[in-house]
Amino acid sequence: MLMQMLDHNYFMQKVIDLSLLSDTSEVPVAAIIVKNQEIIATGFNTRQREQDIIGHAEINALRQANKALGTWNLNDCLMYVNLEPCPMCAGAILQAHIKELVFGAYETKSGAFGSRYNLVTNNMKIIGGIKEQECLHLIQKFFAKLR
């Protein structure tokens, strides 16, 4: 169990580092998809830059993983994201058959894996709160700048 937790912390730190590289006009959410302990896809929020309502980090990472693996079925993959996914992203994650979702900060306004909504299924393992304070600080810092 300790080794698995260390892996989750390692990959969540990669997500945090990636979110710091995102466009400053975007909410700093990033996602990575891992297969066999290797990062195969990454994604940032691109809603503002591309004026695309579905330009969420999770969707962008799923698209990249689909291309990398040549399939939509990501049943051997884990997704890491620094903010609990919204219902739209949760639906895409479920449809992709991601085997495990690990997220940092809980999203009480629109989180779809237990905070606001509960789209949890028996087919996917969900772990929330990994590096939660660091992830939450990134989001809070972004919105504080807007005020």
Side-chain angles (χ1 to χ4, degrees), residues 18-39:
L18 188 62
S19 71
L20 293 171
L21 300 174
S22 65
D23 186 313
T24 57
S25 68
E26 301 286 352
V27 178
V29 177
I32 62 172
I33 297 180
V34 174
K35 182 174 181 172
N36 300 325
Q37 297 291 316
E38 224 176 284
I39 297 171

Side-chain angles (χ1 to χ4, degrees), residues 8-9 12 15 32 78-83 85 98 100-104 125-130:
H8 289 330
N9 283 319
M12 189 58 70
V15 170
I32 62 172
L78 288 77
M79 177 180 273
Y80 291 83
V81 62
N82 57 320
L83 186 64
I98 293 286
E100 188 170 342
L101 170 71
V102 180
F103 65 87
K125 183 176 181 181
I126 298 161
I127 300 172
I130 302 296

Side-chain angles (χ1 to χ4, degrees), residues 32-131:
I32 62 172
I33 297 180
V34 174
K35 182 174 181 172
N36 300 325
Q37 297 291 316
E38 224 176 284
I39 297 171
I40 62 161
T42 61
F44 298 98
N45 276 357
T46 57
R47 278 176 35 156
Q48 294 299 322
R49 187 181 72 218
E50 296 178 6
Q51 291 298 298
D52 180 5
I53 191 68
I54 61 173
H56 289 207
E58 300 94 329
I59 301 294
N60 291 329
L62 288 168
R63 286 180 172 155
Q64 194 178 93
N66 292 161
K67 288 178 184 169
L69 298 177
T71 181
W72 62 268
N73 191 344
L74 305 177
N75 64 337
D76 291 332
C77 298
L78 288 77
M79 177 180 273
Y80 291 83
V81 62
N82 57 320
L83 186 64
E84 181 181 3
C86 72
M88 175 185 69
C89 292
I93 292 164
L94 291 170
Q95 288 297 312
H97 300 182
I98 293 286
K99 76 174 180 179
E100 188 170 342
L101 170 71
V102 180
F103 65 87
Y106 290 86
E107 172 44 296
T108 57
K109 292 180 183 173
S110 65
F113 288 104
S115 290
R116 174 77 174 163
Y117 307 102
N118 194 9
L119 299 180
V120 178
T121 71
N122 291 334
N123 300 330
M124 182 173 50
K125 183 176 181 181
I126 298 161
I127 300 172
I130 302 296
K131 293 188 169 278

